[in-house]
Amino acid sequence: MSLLDGKTVLVTGVLTEGSIAFHVARLAQLEGASVILTSFGRQARLTAAIARRLPVEAPIVQLDVTDEDDLTALAERLREHTDHLDGVVHSIGFAPQSIMGGNFLTGAWEDVATAVHVSAFSLKALAVAAQPLLRPGSSIVGLTFDATLAWPVYDWMGVAKAAFESTSRYLARDLGPSGIRCNLVSAGPVKTTAAKSIPGFEKIEAGWSDRAPLGWDMTDAVPTAKAVAALLSDWFPATTGEIVHVDGGVHAMGL
């Protein structure tokens, strides 16, 4: 029996073959899951092209996590493909460049609010929108970048990630009585489209593999995808509100 046999998983954030979300969707299918993707607007064409590169072409439902109409309609749109969900993967994040790259002190609230809305509040919004289809024993998994530290150039996106991590803990509290788990995977730097959009991201990458006891390959998203798949599975039935680090061990090392 494969890790995710018989499960149905909703995966957000699939845009390129290099994205962590793509590798999550691919691995989930290889482990026996049925996968549904989300996308919207101009990104939808990219997602549709990438969906054809999965082992099984996955259906796509429209979802902009900042659009209340899309959130309200999500359950019905999903019911065109499934009558339930066993897992949801949150791989969504955005911050205007004006509040990253060393612009922490000059960042305007309007741009900060955008980052918090898309990158943190959206976890709660997605969980509530998907909840009608989530069964006891199901799992929500989000992707984060260690928000316990102040990183070079990450600035207000780091603050948004701190809010994201806190949101996950509150979701674990409120969804636990329904048998729904909520956990995060904190990944080391991976050369994704999202990473490339951060001005000066190379300052975060610099020396990571040297500091990692296990080493670190910034071109390989598979270790992170495996951790997500494990948390989606039945092998963590009593784990919620947790953050699993997949960073080669850097989070545990001193300078």
Side-chain angles (χ1 to χ4, degrees):
M1 178 181 291
S2 297
L3 191 66
L4 300 175
D5 265 350
K7 293 190 180 297
T8 301
V9 178
L10 179 69
V11 181
T12 66
V14 174
L15 287 178
T16 70
E17 280 188 280
S19 66
I20 295 172
F22 172 81
H23 288 281
V24 170
R26 181 184 64 82
L27 184 60
Q29 288 186 340
L30 292 176
E31 290 294 332
S34 297
V35 171
I36 302 171
L37 307 180
T38 72
S39 195
F40 72 100
R42 290 179 295 178
Q43 300 175 1
R45 295 180 66 180
L46 294 174
T47 303
I50 296 302
R52 291 192 287 271
R53 300 181 188 179
L54 290 168
V56 177
E57 184 175 353
I60 302 167
V61 298
Q62 178 171 309
L63 177 64
D64 174 352
V65 290
T66 66
D67 187 311
E68 286 299 324
D69 290 338
D70 274 3
L71 290 164
T72 300
L74 179 63
E76 284 307 309
R77 289 171 180 171
L78 287 170
R79 285 191 177 99
E80 296 177 11
H81 307 284
T82 184
D83 61 359
H84 72 277
L85 288 175
D86 301 288
V88 174
V89 178
H90 183 289
S91 182
I92 301 166
F94 172 76
Q97 292 196 354
S98 60
I99 57 172
M100 296 186 291
N103 294 318
F104 182 80
L105 294 178
T106 58
W109 166 243
E110 291 78 9
D111 291 339
V112 172
T114 296
V116 172
H117 191 180
V118 177
S119 307
F121 184 81
S122 63
L123 179 61
K124 190 282 296 187
L126 177 61
V128 171
Q131 190 175 5
L133 276 72
L134 289 169
R135 304 189 293 187
S138 58
S139 175
I140 298 170
V141 184
L143 290 162
T144 190
F145 186 74
D146 192 351
T148 63
L149 302 171
W151 297 100
V153 309
Y154 210 44
D155 297 334
W156 285 102
M157 189 58 165
V159 176
K161 284 297 186 183
F164 179 71
E165 293 177 7
S166 183
T167 299
S168 177
R169 289 188 286 271
Y170 280 98
L171 282 172
R173 181 195 70 182
D174 289 357
L175 297 179
S178 298
I180 300 169
R181 295 169 283 135
C182 188
N183 296 287
L184 303 180
V185 173
S186 180
V190 178
K191 290 186 180 297
T192 62
T193 300
K196 292 174 184 176
S197 70
I198 300 172
F201 191 72
E202 63 275 5
K203 293 182 180 179
I204 296 177
E205 298 174 335
W208 196 283
S209 59
D210 294 332
R211 288 181 287 138
L214 294 176
W216 185 251
D217 184 352
M218 285 177 281
T219 67
D220 187 6
V222 173
T224 303
K226 286 183 174 180
V228 174
L231 288 169
L232 288 170
S233 78
D234 295 331
W235 283 94
F236 287 86
T239 299
T240 195
E242 186 59 88
I243 300 177
V244 177
H245 289 82
V246 181
D247 62 359
V250 168
H251 72 282
M253 300 296 108
L255 294 175

